[in-house]
Every structure is written in structure tokens, then in C-alpha cells.
Amino acid sequence: MIRTLNSTSFAALFATVPKSTTCITARTHSTYDVAVVGGGIVGLASARELILRHPTLSFVLLEKEKDLAVHQSGHNSGVIHSGIYYTPGSLKARLCGKGATMAYEYLDKKGLPYKKCGKGLMALDSPYTGIVDWRLVSLAYGKDFQEAGGTVVTEYEASDMAMVKESPAGNTEGMKYPIAIRDSKGKEVRCRYVLTCGGLYSDRLSQISGCSPEPRIVPFRGDYLVLKPEKHYLVRGNIYPVPDPKFPFLGVHFTPRMDGSVWLGPNAVLAFKREGYKLYDFDARDFGDALSFRGLQKLVMNNLVYGVGEMYRGVFIGAQVKILKKFIPELSLSDVLRGPAGVRAQALDRDGNLVDDFVFDGGVGDVGSRVLHVRNAPSPAATSSLAIAEMVADEVERRFSL
């Protein structure tokens, strides 16, 4: 099944999501009932669900970049997962199965392009698997949110969350909107409640609100190869290996894309920057945080051979092609080129265990009790986004009595 969208309509959808709908200066502040921090697909889906349920409340979504959904939501394989890999009955399995159904219904309703191309050849067939541009879907969520009355503020990096200081006598604003979210430029948004969907920065957002620093986020970069156009005939659908249950990564696979290209891979290596999509991207704080974390140290020591192998395959693509040939023997080194990369926000505990399921929690105290954090939303978060949004909205309503 294929849904298409012409180039004019495609560009029009992007144009309907403005970069920002309000301007906050260092001398002013705005007030809202609920602030959502993070403009990726989970934040946008959750903000959309909340405002559709509570149209009389005021909502703001804060995003640190100039545009929405430019990191994990815009650097993924673009697959609509069926959920067959995940432990039966687990939160991942339940959310993915429900989310995929909701995603297809949403795409049909909005007329967004996708292909239900399936997965499997001489193996387990999964005809329900599809591909889509998840960033395009994210922007559609953002459009829904704004059309329902929500406010989007970009270039607003939350650096502090605190209780509003005592207001002058007779001014009750601080009592009604007690949480102040400030950025590094001195701008301030005040609200009653906060939902954070920070992806690669979810642990840091938790810390600035006074909540638990764990699980910690360690960034893993996945480098893809791309199949040369003249060899596209080799891949007619998604081809995935059975994943190793010891690791959350799916291993190398073949992924057709909506633009007609075919991605091969990825590997999984430690990124030297949380949003480092290139081999030499480096951030001292991100790198130092990762190396000093006992959980990562234990993970490396327990999986040294696997890690070295992933690094080797990242440098010498012939080694990666050798693995890919197990699935398509006709493939050769001359058929591929280096392609794009993504960074996965992998949650780890202090014992070096990979946190493979979704994690949602809040905190205690004046600030923590008014915040709900989406701490870990690993793949298939995009596929599950609408189902996750329903669960998040349920939890927000329960915790904050909306």
C-alpha cells in the first residue's frame, strides 16, 4: 500500500508549522497551564493529545532548536514497526502494536505519504511493517497542536526550573503559575505543570528540576551506508535480522526510504557528543559525562569485544558489507557509499544495564511534584508516539488532577 503526496502539498505542510508563535524577551514572561519541554515526536504527540483533551487550558511547547523534530525524530530509519521483536506483554510491545495501528489511521486521515512495504524474505514475514517520514508526521502533530490553540516557542533551551519567588502583596500570579522555566538568556515561562520529553537531554532536564539523575543518557551514534541507485532492485522491502536479546540494537538491516533511497546498517558506537552526527563531532561535557559514569564503564568492560567490533565496522565499511552479505549475497563493497548517521539516546543504570523499556517518572518537593518526565523513549517511540501520548496524557491527568 502506498500513499503519496505531491511536492506542492509536501512543502505546504512544512510551511504551516511556524518556527515560533510568540516572542519572549528577557524582561517579560508568559503564563500557561502546562508547559511541554521538547519538540521531538514524543513531545509534539503528547502536547497534541493534551490540548485536544483539555481545550480550555493553555499550553506551550518549548524547543531549543530553530525548528521542530530535528534530532532523533529527524534522524531515524523511518520504519513503522510492527512490534514483533519485543517481549510479549511488555510496555514496548503493547505501545508499538497499538501505536502502529493509530499511526496508519492518522496517516490516512491526514493524507500523509507512507508505504506498507513489509519485512521478511525466506523468513518471518511482517506485511504490516511500513516506512514513513517521521519528521513530516511530527510537524503534522505540531500543526494540530497549534490549530487547537497551543503555543510553540523555538530557540528556548530550558536551563532552570524553580518556584516563582514571592510576589508583591496583592499579586496572586505566583500562586497560580508557581513554576518558572528559564533559559540561558534570561527568558522565563511560568506555568502550573511541566511535562518534559527531552530525548538526548532527558536526564539533564530531570536534574534541573530536582529529580533523579538516573537513568543516565549515553549517546550512541549509528552510521548508515546507502545503496547505489543502480542496485536498489536488490531491496524490495525491509530486511531485518532477529535481534540479539542482550542488546537493544537491532543489528544491521536494509531499510527502503520514502525518497527511494535504501539505507544499510547501522552500527552502534559511543558518540562523543549528544547530538554528534559526524565522526569527529565532540563536546567536552558530553564526553566527560559519559566516560565518568560508572554504568558506561561497566557496560564497556562487559562488552569490550562487541564494542571494538562495532568501532571497526564503522571505520572499515568492508567489514560491515561482509555482515550485510549474509542477507543479500549479491551485495559488494562497490555497491555502497557512506551515508547519514543518527544518535540514539540510550538510557543506562549505574550497574551498566541497558534500560530498554519506556520510563516515565516525576519527583518530590515543590518543583518535582509538578513535573512529569519522559525519561526514556527508545525505538519504536516514533511508531508508538500516538499511543505513548495517550499514556502520558493519562498520567498527567492523574498526577495533576487536570
Side-chain angles (χ1 to χ4, degrees):
M1 181 182 294
I2 301 175
R3 299 285 184 188
T4 61
L5 193 71
N6 63 47
S7 58
T8 302
S9 299
F10 187 88
L13 178 59
F14 276 82
T16 59
V17 184
K19 292 182 173 64
S20 176
T21 59
T22 191
C23 179
I24 299 174
T25 71
R27 295 184 178 181
T28 66
H29 63 263
S30 298
T31 56
Y32 302 90
D33 291 305
V34 179
V36 179
V37 181
I41 194 167
V42 173
L44 289 164
S46 299
R48 171 187 177 274
E49 179 68 21
L50 282 166
I51 200 169
L52 291 178
R53 292 190 188 189
H54 301 279
T56 61
L57 299 182
S58 57
F59 291 84
V60 64
L61 184 139
L62 306 175
E63 166 56 39
K64 69 184 180 68
E65 303 293 353
K66 293 181 179 179
D67 299 297
L68 300 174
V70 297
H71 289 297
Q72 289 187 107
S73 304
H75 287 81
N76 56 61
S77 61
V79 174
I80 305 172
H81 293 283
S82 63
I84 60 175
Y85 321 107
Y86 313 118
T87 304
S90 67
L91 191 57
K92 259 193 176 185
R94 288 185 283 116
L95 288 176
C96 186
K98 182 179 181 180
T101 299
M102 296 176 73
Y104 282 125
E105 291 174 352
Y106 182 83
L107 296 172
D108 286 333
K109 180 180 179 180
K110 295 292 184 178
L112 297 176
Y114 69 88
K115 297 179 183 178
K116 193 178 288 187
C117 54
K119 180 162 34 179
L121 177 65
M122 297 176 64
L124 181 64
D125 185 34
S126 176
Y128 199 58
T129 298
I131 57 174
V132 73
D133 183 336
W134 283 118
R135 182 164 189 255
L136 181 65
V137 177
S138 301
L139 295 180
Y141 293 165
K143 180 183 177 185
D144 292 344
F145 174 69
Q146 290 181 301
E147 288 181 343
T151 297
V152 172
V153 180
T154 56
E155 297 184 87
Y156 194 103
E157 184 172 2
S159 60
D160 181 61
M161 294 183 197
M163 298 298 291
V164 174
K165 294 182 180 180
E166 291 289 335
S167 301
N171 187 342
T172 61
E173 183 182 279
M175 297 174 60
K176 187 175 181 181
Y177 304 102
I179 302 295
I181 305 174
R182 303 182 182 93
D183 76 351
S184 58
K185 300 176 183 177
K187 300 175 185 176
E188 181 175 292
V189 165
R190 295 182 182 179
C191 59
R192 294 168 58 204
Y193 305 107
V194 183
L195 169 67
T196 76
C197 304
L200 285 156
Y201 292 92
S202 61
D203 55 344
R204 292 182 182 171
L205 285 172
S206 179
Q207 286 178 281
I208 67 172
S209 70
C211 299
S212 172
E214 293 184 13
R216 290 277 291 276
I217 296 298
V218 176
F220 282 88
R221 192 184 70 254
D223 300 302
Y224 284 92
L225 305 176
V226 292
L227 196 61
K228 290 183 178 178
E230 61 269 23
K231 293 292 183 176
H232 285 178
Y233 70 90
L234 292 172
V235 180
R236 293 187 294 273
N238 292 277
I239 303 173
Y240 276 52
V242 176
D244 187 331
K246 293 184 296 184
F247 304 102
F249 312 110
L250 293 175
V252 296
H253 44 270
F254 299 75
T255 306
R257 301 279 295 176
M258 289 299 295
D259 61 5
S261 63
V262 179
W263 288 9
L264 318 177
N267 63 342
V269 296
L270 179 67
F272 301 150
K273 182 180 179 181
R274 292 203 177 195
E275 292 163 353
Y277 303 107
K278 298 178 181 178
L279 179 62
Y280 300 108
D281 283 346
F282 178 82
D283 181 271
R285 181 187 177 188
D286 291 347
F287 189 56
D289 281 352
L291 289 187
S292 63
F293 180 47
R294 187 176 71 175
L296 178 63
Q297 295 167 6
K298 288 190 174 183
L299 178 69
V300 170
M301 293 306 298
N302 292 335
N303 302 278
L304 188 60
V305 174
Y306 178 85
V308 170
E310 288 291 280
M311 293 177 66
Y312 179 82
R313 287 185 287 273
V315 175
F316 301 100
I317 62 175
Q320 190 150 318
V321 170
K322 185 177 180 179
I323 295 178
L324 291 164
K325 284 173 66 69
K326 295 179 181 178
F327 305 96
I328 299 183
E330 301 96 321
L331 190 70
S332 67
L333 181 60
S334 62
D335 296 331
V336 302
L337 300 169
R338 288 193 180 274
V343 178
R344 178 192 181 111
Q346 179 58 56
L348 288 178
D349 66 22
R350 64 175 54 219
D351 294 320
N353 299 312
L354 300 165
V355 181
D356 193 35
D357 215 340
F358 299 98
V359 177
F360 309 90
D361 71 9
V364 295
D366 292 336
V367 177
S369 62
R370 289 178 173 268
V371 181
L372 175 65
H373 297 288
V374 178
R375 296 297 304 272
N376 189 44
S379 177
T383 300
S384 309
S385 56
L386 290 174
I388 292 173
E390 287 190 342
M391 189 179 71
V392 168
D394 288 344
E395 186 65 13
V396 167
E397 290 173 340
R398 186 187 70 81
R399 287 180 184 243
F400 307 141
S401 301
L402 292 187

